[in-house]
Coordinates of all heavy atoms in Angstrom, one line a residue:
M1 N 6.6 -49.8 3.8 CA 7.4 -50.7 4.6 C 7.3 -50.2 6.1 O 7.5 -49.0 6.3 CB 8.8 -50.7 4.1 CG 9.6 -51.8 4.8 SD 11.1 -52.0 3.8 CE 12.3 -51.5 5.0
Q2 N 7.1 -51.1 7.0 CA 7.1 -50.7 8.4 C 8.5 -50.6 9.0 O 9.3 -51.4 8.7 CB 6.3 -51.8 9.1 CG 6.1 -51.5 10.6 CD 4.7 -51.8 11.0 OE1 3.9 -52.3 10.2 NE2 4.3 -51.4 12.2
P3 N 8.7 -49.5 9.8 CA 10.0 -49.4 10.4 C 10.2 -50.5 11.4 O 9.3 -51.0 11.9 CB 9.9 -48.0 11.1 CG 8.5 -47.7 11.2 CD 7.8 -48.4 10.1
P4 N 11.5 -50.8 11.6 CA 11.8 -51.9 12.6 C 11.4 -51.5 14.0 O 11.4 -50.3 14.4 CB 13.3 -52.1 12.5 CG 13.8 -50.8 11.9 CD 12.7 -50.2 11.1
F5 N 11.0 -52.5 14.8 CA 10.7 -52.3 16.2 C 12.0 -52.5 17.0 O 12.6 -53.6 16.8 CB 9.6 -53.3 16.7 CG 9.4 -53.3 18.1 CD1 8.7 -52.2 18.8 CD2 9.9 -54.3 18.9 CE1 8.6 -52.2 20.2 CE2 9.8 -54.3 20.3 CZ 9.1 -53.3 20.9
H6 N 12.3 -51.6 17.9 CA 13.5 -51.7 18.7 C 13.1 -51.9 20.2 O 12.5 -50.9 20.7 CB 14.4 -50.5 18.6 CG 15.0 -50.3 17.2 ND1 16.0 -51.2 16.8 CD2 14.8 -49.5 16.3 CE1 16.3 -50.8 15.5 NE2 15.6 -49.8 15.2
P7 N 13.3 -53.0 20.8 CA 13.0 -53.1 22.2 C 13.9 -52.3 23.1 O 15.0 -51.8 22.6 CB 13.2 -54.6 22.5 CG 14.1 -55.1 21.4 CD 13.9 -54.2 20.2
L8 N 13.5 -52.1 24.3 CA 14.4 -51.2 25.2 C 15.8 -51.8 25.3 O 16.7 -51.0 25.4 CB 13.7 -51.2 26.6 CG 12.6 -50.2 26.8 CD1 12.1 -50.2 28.3 CD2 13.0 -48.8 26.4
S9 N 15.9 -53.1 25.3 CA 17.3 -53.6 25.4 C 18.2 -53.1 24.2 O 19.4 -52.8 24.5 CB 17.3 -55.2 25.4 OG 16.7 -55.7 24.2
E10 N 17.7 -53.0 23.0 CA 18.4 -52.5 21.9 C 18.7 -51.0 22.1 O 19.8 -50.5 21.7 CB 17.7 -52.8 20.6 CG 17.8 -54.2 20.2 CD 17.1 -54.5 18.8 OE1 16.8 -53.5 18.1 OE2 16.9 -55.7 18.6
L11 N 17.7 -50.3 22.6 CA 18.0 -48.8 22.9 C 19.1 -48.7 23.9 O 19.9 -47.8 23.7 CB 16.7 -48.2 23.3 CG 16.8 -46.7 23.7 CD1 17.2 -45.9 22.6 CD2 15.5 -46.2 24.3
F12 N 19.0 -49.4 24.9 CA 20.1 -49.3 26.0 C 21.4 -49.7 25.4 O 22.4 -49.0 25.7 CB 19.8 -50.2 27.1 CG 18.9 -49.6 28.2 CD1 17.6 -49.1 27.9 CD2 19.4 -49.4 29.5 CE1 16.9 -48.5 28.8 CE2 18.6 -48.7 30.4 CZ 17.4 -48.3 30.1
E13 N 21.5 -50.7 24.5 CA 22.8 -51.0 23.8 C 23.2 -49.8 23.0 O 24.4 -49.5 23.0 CB 22.6 -52.3 23.0 CG 22.5 -53.5 23.8 CD 22.2 -54.7 22.9 OE1 22.0 -54.6 21.7 OE2 22.1 -55.8 23.5
Q14 N 22.3 -49.2 22.3 CA 22.6 -48.1 21.4 C 23.1 -46.9 22.2 O 24.0 -46.2 21.8 CB 21.4 -47.7 20.6 CG 21.6 -46.6 19.6 CD 22.4 -47.1 18.4 OE1 22.5 -48.3 18.1 NE2 23.0 -46.2 17.7
L15 N 22.6 -46.8 23.4 CA 23.1 -45.7 24.3 C 24.3 -46.1 25.1 O 24.8 -45.3 25.9 CB 21.9 -45.4 25.3 CG 20.7 -44.7 24.7 CD1 19.6 -44.7 25.7 CD2 21.0 -43.3 24.2
G16 N 24.8 -47.3 24.9 CA 26.1 -47.7 25.6 C 25.9 -48.1 27.0 O 26.8 -48.0 27.8
L17 N 24.6 -48.5 27.3 CA 24.3 -48.9 28.7 C 24.1 -50.4 28.8 O 23.9 -51.1 27.8 CB 23.0 -48.3 29.1 CG 23.0 -46.7 29.1 CD1 21.5 -46.2 29.3 CD2 23.9 -46.2 30.1
D18 N 24.3 -51.0 30.0 CA 24.0 -52.4 30.2 C 22.5 -52.7 29.8 O 21.6 -51.9 30.2 CB 24.2 -52.8 31.6 CG 25.7 -52.7 32.0 OD1 26.6 -52.9 31.1 OD2 26.0 -52.4 33.2
A19 N 22.3 -53.7 29.1 CA 21.0 -53.9 28.4 C 20.2 -55.2 28.9 O 19.2 -55.5 28.3 CB 21.1 -53.9 26.9
G20 N 20.7 -55.8 30.0 CA 19.9 -56.9 30.5 C 18.7 -56.4 31.1 O 18.5 -55.3 31.5
E21 N 17.7 -57.3 31.3 CA 16.4 -57.0 31.8 C 16.6 -56.4 33.2 O 16.0 -55.3 33.5 CB 15.5 -58.2 31.9 CG 14.1 -57.9 32.3 CD 13.2 -59.1 32.2 OE1 13.3 -59.9 31.2 OE2 12.3 -59.2 33.1
D22 N 17.4 -57.0 34.1 CA 17.6 -56.4 35.4 C 18.3 -55.1 35.4 O 18.0 -54.2 36.2 CB 18.4 -57.4 36.2 CG 17.7 -58.7 36.6 OD1 16.4 -58.7 36.5 OD2 18.3 -59.7 36.9
D23 N 19.2 -54.9 34.4 CA 20.0 -53.6 34.3 C 19.0 -52.5 33.9 O 19.1 -51.4 34.4 CB 21.0 -53.7 33.2 CG 22.1 -54.8 33.5 OD1 22.6 -54.8 34.6 OD2 22.4 -55.6 32.6
I24 N 18.1 -52.8 33.0 CA 17.1 -51.8 32.5 C 16.2 -51.4 33.7 O 15.9 -50.3 33.9 CB 16.3 -52.4 31.3 CG1 17.2 -52.5 30.1 CG2 15.1 -51.4 31.0 CD1 16.6 -53.2 28.9
E25 N 15.7 -52.4 34.4 CA 14.8 -52.2 35.6 C 15.5 -51.3 36.6 O 15.0 -50.4 37.2 CB 14.2 -53.4 36.1 CG 13.3 -54.1 35.2 CD 12.1 -53.3 34.7 OE1 11.5 -52.5 35.6 OE2 11.8 -53.3 33.5
A26 N 16.8 -51.7 36.9 CA 17.6 -50.9 37.9 C 17.8 -49.5 37.4 O 17.7 -48.5 38.3 CB 18.9 -51.6 38.1
F27 N 18.1 -49.3 36.2 CA 18.2 -47.9 35.6 C 16.9 -47.1 35.8 O 17.0 -46.0 36.3 CB 18.6 -48.0 34.1 CG 18.8 -46.6 33.5 CD1 20.0 -46.1 33.5 CD2 17.7 -46.0 32.9 CE1 20.2 -44.8 32.9 CE2 17.9 -44.7 32.3 CZ 19.1 -44.1 32.3
I28 N 15.8 -47.7 35.4 CA 14.5 -47.0 35.6 C 14.2 -46.7 37.0 O 13.8 -45.6 37.4 CB 13.4 -47.8 34.9 CG1 13.6 -47.8 33.4 CG2 12.0 -47.3 35.2 CD1 12.8 -48.8 32.6
D29 N 14.4 -47.7 37.9 CA 14.2 -47.5 39.3 C 15.1 -46.4 39.9 O 14.6 -45.5 40.7 CB 14.5 -48.8 40.1 CG 13.4 -49.8 39.9 OD1 12.3 -49.5 39.4 OD2 13.7 -51.0 40.3
R30 N 16.3 -46.3 39.4 CA 17.3 -45.3 39.9 C 17.0 -43.9 39.5 O 17.2 -43.0 40.2 CB 18.7 -45.7 39.5 CG 19.8 -44.9 40.0 CD 21.2 -45.5 39.8 NE 21.5 -45.8 38.4 CZ 21.5 -47.1 37.9 NH1 21.4 -48.1 38.7 NH2 21.8 -47.3 36.6
H31 N 16.4 -43.8 38.3 CA 16.2 -42.5 37.7 C 14.7 -42.0 37.6 O 14.4 -41.0 37.1 CB 16.8 -42.4 36.3 CG 18.3 -42.6 36.3 ND1 19.2 -41.8 36.9 CD2 19.0 -43.6 35.8 CE1 20.4 -42.2 36.8 NE2 20.3 -43.4 36.1
S32 N 13.8 -42.8 38.2 CA 12.4 -42.4 38.2 C 12.0 -41.8 39.5 O 12.6 -42.1 40.6 CB 11.6 -43.7 38.0 OG 11.7 -44.2 36.7
P33 N 11.0 -41.0 39.6 CA 10.3 -40.5 38.4 C 11.0 -39.3 37.8 O 11.5 -38.4 38.6 CB 9.0 -40.1 39.0 CG 9.2 -39.7 40.4 CD 10.4 -40.6 40.8
L34 N 11.0 -39.2 36.5 CA 11.6 -38.0 35.9 C 10.5 -36.9 35.9 O 9.4 -37.1 35.5 CB 12.0 -38.4 34.4 CG 12.7 -37.3 33.6 CD1 14.0 -36.9 34.2 CD2 12.9 -37.8 32.2
P35 N 10.8 -35.7 36.4 CA 9.8 -34.7 36.5 C 9.2 -34.3 35.1 O 10.0 -34.3 34.1 CB 10.6 -33.5 37.1 CG 11.8 -34.1 37.7 CD 12.1 -35.3 37.0
S36 N 8.0 -34.0 35.1 CA 7.3 -33.8 33.8 C 7.9 -32.6 33.1 O 7.8 -32.5 31.9 CB 5.8 -33.6 34.1 OG 5.6 -32.5 34.9
E37 N 8.5 -31.6 33.8 CA 9.0 -30.4 33.1 C 10.4 -30.6 32.5 O 10.9 -29.8 31.9 CB 9.0 -29.2 34.1 CG 10.0 -29.4 35.3 CD 9.4 -30.1 36.5 OE1 8.2 -30.6 36.4 OE2 10.1 -30.2 37.5
V38 N 10.9 -31.8 32.7 CA 12.3 -32.1 32.2 C 12.1 -33.1 31.0 O 11.5 -34.2 31.1 CB 13.2 -32.8 33.2 CG1 14.5 -33.2 32.6 CG2 13.3 -31.9 34.4
A39 N 12.6 -32.6 29.8 CA 12.5 -33.4 28.6 C 13.5 -34.6 28.8 O 14.5 -34.5 29.5 CB 13.0 -32.6 27.4
L40 N 13.1 -35.8 28.3 CA 14.0 -37.0 28.5 C 15.4 -36.7 28.1 O 16.3 -37.0 28.9 CB 13.4 -38.1 27.6 CG 14.3 -39.4 27.7 CD1 14.3 -40.0 29.1 CD2 13.7 -40.4 26.7
S41 N 15.6 -36.0 27.0 CA 17.0 -35.8 26.5 C 17.7 -34.8 27.4 O 19.0 -34.7 27.3 CB 17.0 -35.3 25.1 OG 16.3 -34.1 24.9
D42 N 17.0 -34.0 28.3 CA 17.7 -33.1 29.1 C 17.9 -33.6 30.5 O 18.4 -32.9 31.4 CB 16.8 -31.8 29.3 CG 16.7 -31.0 27.9 OD1 17.7 -31.1 27.1 OD2 15.7 -30.3 27.7
A43 N 17.6 -34.9 30.8 CA 17.8 -35.4 32.1 C 19.3 -35.4 32.4 O 20.1 -35.6 31.5 CB 17.2 -36.9 32.1
P44 N 19.6 -35.2 33.7 CA 21.0 -35.1 34.1 C 21.8 -36.3 34.0 O 23.1 -36.2 34.1 CB 20.9 -34.5 35.5 CG 19.6 -35.0 36.0 CD 18.7 -35.0 34.8
F45 N 21.2 -37.5 33.8 CA 22.0 -38.7 33.8 C 22.5 -39.1 32.5 O 23.2 -40.1 32.4 CB 21.2 -39.8 34.5 CG 19.8 -39.9 34.0 CD1 19.4 -40.6 32.8 CD2 18.7 -39.4 34.8 CE1 18.1 -40.6 32.4 CE2 17.4 -39.5 34.4 CZ 17.1 -40.1 33.2
W46 N 22.3 -38.4 31.4 CA 22.8 -38.7 30.1 C 24.1 -38.0 29.8 O 24.3 -36.8 30.3 CB 21.8 -38.3 29.0 CG 20.5 -38.9 29.1 CD1 19.3 -38.2 29.2 CD2 20.1 -40.2 29.0 NE1 18.2 -39.0 29.2 CE2 18.7 -40.3 29.1 CE3 20.8 -41.4 29.0 CZ2 18.0 -41.5 29.1 CZ3 20.1 -42.6 29.0 CH2 18.8 -42.7 29.1
N47 N 25.0 -38.6 29.0 CA 26.1 -37.8 28.5 C 25.7 -37.1 27.2 O 24.6 -37.3 26.7 CB 27.4 -38.7 28.4 CG 27.2 -39.8 27.3 OD1 26.6 -39.5 26.2 ND2 27.7 -41.0 27.5
E48 N 26.6 -36.3 26.7 CA 26.3 -35.5 25.5 C 25.9 -36.4 24.3 O 25.0 -36.0 23.6 CB 27.4 -34.5 25.2 CG 27.0 -33.5 24.2 CD 25.7 -32.7 24.6 OE1 25.5 -32.3 25.8 OE2 24.8 -32.5 23.7
N49 N 26.6 -37.4 24.1 CA 26.3 -38.3 22.9 C 24.9 -38.9 23.1 O 24.2 -39.1 22.1 CB 27.4 -39.4 22.8 CG 28.7 -38.8 22.2 OD1 28.7 -37.8 21.5 ND2 29.8 -39.5 22.6
Q50 N 24.6 -39.4 24.3 CA 23.3 -40.0 24.5 C 22.2 -38.9 24.3 O 21.2 -39.2 23.7 CB 23.2 -40.5 26.0 CG 24.1 -41.7 26.2 CD 24.3 -42.1 27.6 OE1 24.3 -41.2 28.5 NE2 24.5 -43.4 27.9
R51 N 22.4 -37.7 24.8 CA 21.4 -36.6 24.6 C 21.2 -36.4 23.2 O 20.0 -36.2 22.7 CB 21.9 -35.3 25.3 CG 21.7 -35.2 26.7 CD 22.1 -33.8 27.2 NE 22.1 -33.8 28.6 CZ 23.1 -34.1 29.4 NH1 24.3 -34.3 28.9 NH2 23.0 -34.2 30.7
R52 N 22.3 -36.3 22.4 CA 22.1 -36.0 21.0 C 21.4 -37.1 20.3 O 20.5 -36.9 19.5 CB 23.5 -35.9 20.4 CG 23.5 -35.5 18.9 CD 24.9 -35.2 18.3 NE 25.8 -34.6 19.2 CZ 26.9 -35.2 19.7 NH1 27.2 -36.5 19.4 NH2 27.7 -34.5 20.5
F53 N 21.7 -38.4 20.6 CA 21.0 -39.5 20.0 C 19.5 -39.4 20.3 O 18.6 -39.6 19.4 CB 21.6 -40.8 20.5 CG 20.8 -42.0 20.0 CD1 21.0 -42.5 18.7 CD2 19.9 -42.7 20.8 CE1 20.3 -43.5 18.2 CE2 19.2 -43.7 20.3 CZ 19.4 -44.2 19.0
L54 N 19.1 -39.2 21.6 CA 17.7 -39.1 22.0 C 17.0 -38.0 21.3 O 15.9 -38.2 20.7 CB 17.6 -39.0 23.5 CG 18.1 -40.2 24.3 CD1 18.2 -39.8 25.8 CD2 17.2 -41.4 24.1
R55 N 17.6 -36.8 21.2 CA 17.0 -35.7 20.5 C 16.8 -36.0 19.0 O 15.7 -35.7 18.5 CB 17.9 -34.4 20.7 CG 17.8 -33.8 22.0 CD 18.6 -32.5 22.1 NE 18.7 -32.1 23.4 CZ 19.8 -31.8 24.1 NH1 21.0 -32.0 23.4 NH2 19.8 -31.5 25.3
E56 N 17.8 -36.5 18.4 CA 17.7 -36.7 17.0 C 16.7 -37.8 16.7 O 16.0 -37.7 15.7 CB 19.1 -37.1 16.4 CG 20.1 -35.9 16.4 CD 21.5 -36.3 16.0 OE1 21.7 -37.5 15.7 OE2 22.3 -35.4 15.9
S57 N 16.7 -38.8 17.5 CA 15.7 -39.9 17.3 C 14.3 -39.4 17.3 O 13.5 -39.8 16.5 CB 15.9 -41.0 18.4 OG 17.1 -41.7 18.2
L58 N 14.0 -38.5 18.2 CA 12.6 -38.0 18.3 C 12.4 -36.9 17.2 O 11.3 -36.9 16.6 CB 12.4 -37.4 19.7 CG 12.3 -38.4 20.8 CD1 12.2 -37.7 22.1 CD2 11.2 -39.4 20.6
A59 N 13.3 -36.0 17.0 CA 13.2 -35.0 16.0 C 13.0 -35.5 14.6 O 12.2 -35.0 13.8 CB 14.4 -34.0 16.0
E60 N 13.7 -36.6 14.3 CA 13.6 -37.1 12.9 C 12.6 -38.3 12.8 O 12.5 -38.9 11.8 CB 15.0 -37.7 12.5 CG 16.1 -36.6 12.5 CD 17.5 -37.2 12.3 OE1 17.6 -38.4 12.2 OE2 18.4 -36.4 12.4
D61 N 11.9 -38.5 13.9 CA 10.9 -39.6 14.0 C 11.6 -40.9 13.4 O 11.0 -41.6 12.6 CB 9.6 -39.3 13.2 CG 8.5 -40.2 13.6 OD1 8.5 -40.8 14.7 OD2 7.6 -40.4 12.8
A62 N 12.8 -41.1 13.9 CA 13.6 -42.2 13.5 C 13.1 -43.6 14.0 O 12.1 -43.6 14.8 CB 15.1 -42.0 14.0
D63 N 13.7 -44.6 13.5 CA 13.3 -46.0 13.9 C 13.3 -46.1 15.4 O 12.6 -46.9 15.9 CB 14.2 -47.0 13.3 CG 14.2 -47.1 11.8 OD1 13.2 -46.6 11.2 OD2 15.1 -47.7 11.2
W64 N 14.1 -45.3 16.0 CA 14.3 -45.5 17.5 C 13.2 -44.7 18.3 O 13.1 -44.8 19.5 CB 15.7 -44.9 17.9 CG 16.8 -45.8 17.4 CD1 17.6 -45.6 16.3 CD2 17.2 -47.1 17.9 NE1 18.4 -46.6 16.1 CE2 18.2 -47.5 17.1 CE3 16.8 -47.8 19.0 CZ2 18.9 -48.7 17.4 CZ3 17.4 -49.0 19.3 CH2 18.5 -49.5 18.5
A65 N 12.4 -43.8 17.6 CA 11.5 -42.9 18.3 C 10.5 -43.7 19.2 O 10.3 -43.3 20.4 CB 10.8 -42.1 17.3
E66 N 10.0 -44.8 18.8 CA 9.1 -45.6 19.6 C 9.7 -46.1 20.9 O 9.2 -46.0 22.0 CB 8.5 -46.7 18.8 CG 7.4 -47.4 19.5 CD 6.7 -48.5 18.6 OE1 6.8 -48.4 17.4 OE2 6.0 -49.3 19.2
A67 N 11.0 -46.6 20.8 CA 11.7 -47.1 21.9 C 12.0 -45.9 22.9 O 11.9 -46.1 24.1 CB 12.9 -47.8 21.5
V68 N 12.4 -44.8 22.3 CA 12.7 -43.6 23.2 C 11.4 -43.2 23.9 O 11.4 -42.9 25.1 CB 13.3 -42.5 22.3 CG1 13.4 -41.2 23.1 CG2 14.6 -42.9 21.7
D69 N 10.3 -43.1 23.2 CA 9.0 -42.8 23.8 C 8.7 -43.8 25.0 O 8.2 -43.4 26.0 CB 7.9 -42.7 22.8 CG 7.9 -41.5 21.9 OD1 8.6 -40.5 22.3 OD2 7.3 -41.6 20.8
H70 N 8.9 -45.0 24.7 CA 8.6 -46.1 25.7 C 9.5 -45.8 27.0 O 9.0 -45.9 28.1 CB 8.9 -47.5 25.1 CG 8.6 -48.6 26.0 ND1 7.4 -49.3 25.9 CD2 9.2 -49.1 27.1 CE1 7.4 -50.2 26.8 NE2 8.5 -50.1 27.6
L71 N 10.8 -45.6 26.8 CA 11.6 -45.3 27.9 C 11.2 -44.0 28.7 O 11.1 -44.0 29.9 CB 13.1 -45.1 27.4 CG 14.1 -44.8 28.5 CD1 14.1 -45.8 29.7 CD2 15.5 -44.6 27.9
D72 N 10.8 -43.0 27.9 CA 10.3 -41.8 28.5 C 9.1 -42.1 29.4 O 9.1 -41.6 30.6 CB 10.0 -40.8 27.4 CG 9.6 -39.4 27.9 OD1 10.1 -39.0 29.0 OD2 8.8 -38.7 27.3
A73 N 8.2 -42.9 28.9 CA 7.0 -43.2 29.7 C 7.4 -44.0 30.9 O 6.8 -43.7 32.0 CB 6.0 -44.0 28.8
R74 N 8.3 -44.9 30.8 CA 8.7 -45.8 32.0 C 9.3 -44.9 33.0 O 9.1 -45.2 34.2 CB 9.6 -46.9 31.5 CG 9.0 -47.9 30.6 CD 8.2 -49.0 31.3 NE 8.8 -49.5 32.5 CZ 9.6 -50.6 32.6 NH1 10.0 -51.2 31.5 NH2 10.1 -51.0 33.7
L75 N 10.1 -43.9 32.6 CA 10.8 -43.1 33.6 C 9.9 -42.1 34.3 O 10.2 -41.5 35.3 CB 11.9 -42.3 32.9 CG 13.2 -43.2 32.6 CD1 14.1 -42.4 31.6 CD2 13.9 -43.5 33.9
R76 N 8.7 -41.9 33.8 CA 7.8 -41.0 34.4 C 6.7 -41.6 35.2 O 5.9 -41.0 35.9 CB 7.1 -40.1 33.3 CG 8.2 -39.3 32.6 CD 7.6 -38.3 31.7 NE 8.6 -37.7 30.8 CZ 9.4 -36.7 31.1 NH1 9.4 -36.2 32.3 NH2 10.3 -36.3 30.3
D77 N 6.7 -42.9 35.3 CA 5.7 -43.7 36.1 C 5.9 -43.4 37.6 O 7.0 -43.3 38.0 CB 5.8 -45.2 35.8 CG 5.1 -45.5 34.5 OD1 4.3 -44.7 34.0 OD2 5.4 -46.6 34.0

């Protein structure tokens, strides 16, 4: 069975952030570029719950991992 695909809007909702297309683009514009030496979950703009969710999503290769990777890539452009 294929894991569900979560778009960035759902990831933002999961993180407790505004999830409209304009909100997502504004967030990425505001926080880009994220330096290559900073792990996404260690970025200073997350709260502790958000950090934990991002770390666990990647460590467990959870359903959210693909969306987290996508956000990571967008923040590094």
Side-chain angles (χ1 to χ4, degrees):
M1 189 164 118
Q2 184 134 7
F5 170 77
H6 295 289
L8 279 183
S9 59
E10 288 181 12
L11 176 60
F12 272 62
E13 288 173 358
Q14 186 70 21
L15 292 168
L17 301 170
D18 293 330
E21 188 175 318
D22 291 339
D23 300 313
I24 293 169
E25 291 306 315
F27 180 91
I28 291 169
D29 287 345
R30 188 169 50 251
H31 298 295
S32 291
L34 185 62
S36 60
E37 65 274 6
V38 177
L40 177 63
S41 61
D42 292 335
F45 44 82
W46 303 122
N47 67 38
E48 192 52 43
N49 288 332
Q50 292 166 327
R51 279 188 189 90
R52 186 177 320 111
F53 175 80
L54 292 168
R55 283 184 192 124
E56 289 174 1
S57 293
L58 292 174
E60 298 170 6
D61 197 24
D63 294 346
W64 293 102
E66 188 173 341
V68 172
D69 285 340
H70 184 102
L71 177 58
D72 188 29
R74 293 281 313 273
L75 285 167
R76 296 191 193 273
D77 285 341

